[in-house]
Amino acid sequence: MKTSWTRETNKTGKMTKDPFMASPRVPLSLRSNVAPFMALDVLASATRREREGQDIVHLEIGEPGAPPRCVRQAAIAALDGSKVGYTEALGRPELRARIARHYRDTHGVVVSAERIAVTTGSSAGFALAFLALFDSGAHVAIAAPGYPAYRNILEALGIETVTIETARENRFIVTAAMIEAEHRKRKLDGILLMSPANPTGMMMSRAELRSICETCDRLGIAFISDEVYHGLTYGDAAETALKFSSNVIVANSFSKYFCMTGWRIGWLVLPEHLVRPIERLQQSLSISVPFLSQIGAEVVFDAQDELQAVLAGYARNREILLNELPGMGLDVLASDGAFYLYADISRHSEDSLDFCAKLLDATGVGTTPGLDFDRRRGHSAIRLSFAGPERDIVEAMRRLKVWLR
Ligand SMILES: Cc1ncc(COP(=O)(O)O)c(C=O)c1O
């Protein structure tokens, strides 16, 4: 069966059609009409083919392998020995204290445990932060290319997204000057940026991050710093925005560096005045984060040897891609961090949706269309994840080389 993903959005990311919305008997909210997250649509197609027996190589999704052994051991022991119940809405005090210690040990920043909120992945952290910070109609800036769920969550909450387009020539970085220029056009209530970034892997320098923190503080713009790819860097370590502002909201996760995607656990570091509103929201939205995931997360900080070995594997995969892709006419910038490369496919196609579908059909290699990350310009790019095992990366390059010949 040929793969095709429906074009459900126009160039600004607005939904153009949704066949399910047409049914007059089951009225749906407008807010549910968000764009699809294409990486997950590709994953679904690729997994369906895998179930049918096709040999698939997954480069479409940013998902590490299994977590360190101590995580599973701690969860099994807790499952056998204690009640798996609700916890405090903001998370177990032991875990909040352990996360606070992580900031002291890794960044030399003192953050009190009371400012930490444990969340169901950083994904739920964003929803909580947006609800606590913005009313519907507020304006929040995000970067393009960028992580597609930001726009979808914001729009579902009736918040207007303002897109700041970054350029390859400037290493896809949003600068303080760009934020100030946007703010002059229309008052921004918030901005959400990530470093290292998805899909480009680019990282802000310390000076750039400091300048963004200072600018947002001066202009009264809420700055949400997505730091979920911290720990995954291939040169300098990533800096936390907590160093430069006490107003910043930091979102982080156990999904990426800590390899705990399916455990669905992350955290927010909040300015003091946001702690109680977030607690009230979490009490009613999810009561608490799964108990076993909190138990696992508490011990994962102590598995640094295993985690560093995983990172070394990503670094090898990254080198393989950086060596192979240019020779196939796929232009890439070397990423600073995360586990993605954002490749220019314009020598082969101007339709990334079609390119990824054909690639999956012909070779079994899953990749994500650039349109997921940049509605206006992503037709000429794809994202490749190198979070998988090295043999998959080598095999994907072999198949891609034959297909593009
Ligand atoms: C930039 C970025 N932020 C947040 C997330 C959400 O991750 P999780 O909800 O697993 O913490 C992702 C997932 O890929 C991401 O790429």
Side-chain angles (χ1 to χ4, degrees):
M1 200 185 25
K2 263 180 73 175
T3 302
S4 77
W5 296 292
T6 331
R7 280 163 219 278
E8 290 166 290
T9 52
N10 66 19
K11 285 185 173 175
T12 62
K14 296 277 184 229
M15 290 289 284
T16 50
K17 60 173 181 176
D18 181 341
F20 302 108
M21 293 288 281
S23 165
R25 288 199 295 155
V26 189
L28 296 178
S29 71
L30 280 177
R31 70 179 64 209
S32 68
N33 200 18
V34 297
F37 191 162
M38 285 181 206
L40 294 176
D41 279 354
V42 180
L43 177 66
S45 302
T47 308
R48 195 175 52 243
R49 286 171 168 279
E50 214 162 27
R51 286 212 187 91
E52 289 162 3
Q54 198 177 334
D55 179 17
I56 299 293
V57 186
H58 295 277
L59 267 53
E60 72 277 19
I61 197 84
E63 178 157 56
R69 208 144 30 98
C70 62
V71 172
R72 279 167 285 151
Q73 284 166 346
I76 290 166
L79 192 55
D80 285 341
S82 52
K83 178 180 154 200
V84 177
Y86 292 135
T87 72
E88 293 83 347
L90 290 175
R92 282 166 49 85
E94 296 86 344
L95 178 56
R96 295 169 75 200
R98 187 63 191 86
I99 294 170
R101 198 176 112 205
H102 166 73
Y103 282 98
R104 195 196 60 205
D105 296 349
T106 310
H107 296 285
V109 181
V110 176
V111 178
S112 71
E114 288 69 39
R115 288 177 55 200
I116 312 275
V118 179
T119 58
T120 312
S122 62
S123 301
F126 293 121
L128 288 166
F130 298 161
L131 282 165
L133 285 164
F134 310 122
D135 285 311
S136 69
H139 287 87
V140 175
I142 52 175
Y147 179 57
Y150 293 162
R151 178 191 300 281
N152 298 341
I153 305 171
L154 287 163
E155 285 183 354
L157 296 174
I159 297 160
E160 298 278 328
T161 52
V162 175
T163 305
I164 302 183
E165 287 191 347
T166 61
R168 192 184 151 86
E169 305 77 76
N170 302 321
R171 308 188 70 255
F172 295 112
I173 296 294
V174 172
T175 61
M178 289 159 92
I179 297 170
E180 192 149 6
E182 272 315 321
H183 188 68
R184 257 186 262 119
K185 281 191 229 158
R186 77 182 79 54
K187 184 181 159 300
L188 291 179
D189 299 288
I191 180 154
L192 168 53
L193 296 174
M194 57 194 144
S195 175
N198 177 3
T200 62
M202 293 306 166
M203 206 161 82
M204 290 180 224
S205 70
R206 188 187 157 84
E208 283 162 341
L209 185 59
R210 176 196 288 271
S211 172
I212 285 173
C213 289
E214 288 170 358
T215 302
C216 288
D217 279 350
R218 176 166 51 81
L219 300 175
I221 300 171
F223 175 31
I224 304 170
S225 177
D226 179 344
E227 303 185 351
V228 307
Y229 291 105
H230 271 211
L232 299 176
T233 51
Y234 307 104
D236 292 340
E239 195 66 272
T240 175
L242 292 166
K243 270 210 173 138
F244 308 120
S245 170
S246 51
N247 299 314
V248 69
I249 296 98
V250 164
N252 209 325
S253 179
F254 289 97
S255 292
K256 306 297 178 177
Y257 176 70
F258 298 104
C259 304
M260 292 178 66
T261 42
W263 298 68
R264 307 306 304 129
I265 180 159
W267 73 87
L268 293 169
V269 186
L270 300 162
E272 268 161 29
H273 71 283
L274 272 186
V275 173
R276 183 63 184 151
I278 293 278
E279 183 175 27
R280 289 194 307 258
L281 285 162
Q282 177 120 292
Q283 283 170 344
S284 290
L285 287 174
S286 54
I287 302 188
S288 68
V289 171
F291 173 84
L292 290 177
S293 302
Q294 296 193 52
I295 296 290
E298 210 178 302
V299 297
V300 75
F301 290 103
D302 299 324
Q304 288 304 330
D305 289 350
E306 266 181 83
L307 296 169
Q308 286 298 313
V310 174
L311 176 61
Y314 299 150
R316 285 195 298 277
N317 291 348
R318 173 176 169 274
E319 282 304 314
I320 295 169
L321 293 184
L322 288 174
N323 285 334
E324 295 284 348
L325 293 172
M328 299 180 213
L330 296 171
D331 214 7
V332 279
L333 283 183
S335 54
D336 303 313
F339 34 49
Y340 308 110
L341 288 176
Y342 197 54
D344 181 349
I345 57 164
S346 53
R347 281 199 226 161
H348 299 285
S349 170
E350 278 298 332
D351 184 344
S352 57
L353 211 55
D354 178 64
F355 182 89
C356 291
K358 285 185 174 147
L359 177 62
L360 180 64
D361 283 344
T363 69
V365 176
T367 53
T368 307
L371 277 182
D372 214 11
F373 312 102
D374 191 336
R375 293 279 163 204
R376 202 178 70 81
R377 302 168 300 169
H379 48 78
S380 59
I382 61 169
R383 186 194 74 177
L384 303 109
S385 161
F386 53 86
E390 186 174 333
R391 64 172 183 282
D392 283 8
I393 306 298
V394 171
E395 176 59 14
M397 291 302 97
R398 190 191 65 74
R399 295 185 195 182
L400 204 55
K401 208 182 282 179
V402 173
W403 189 64
L404 289 174
R405 196 178 284 152

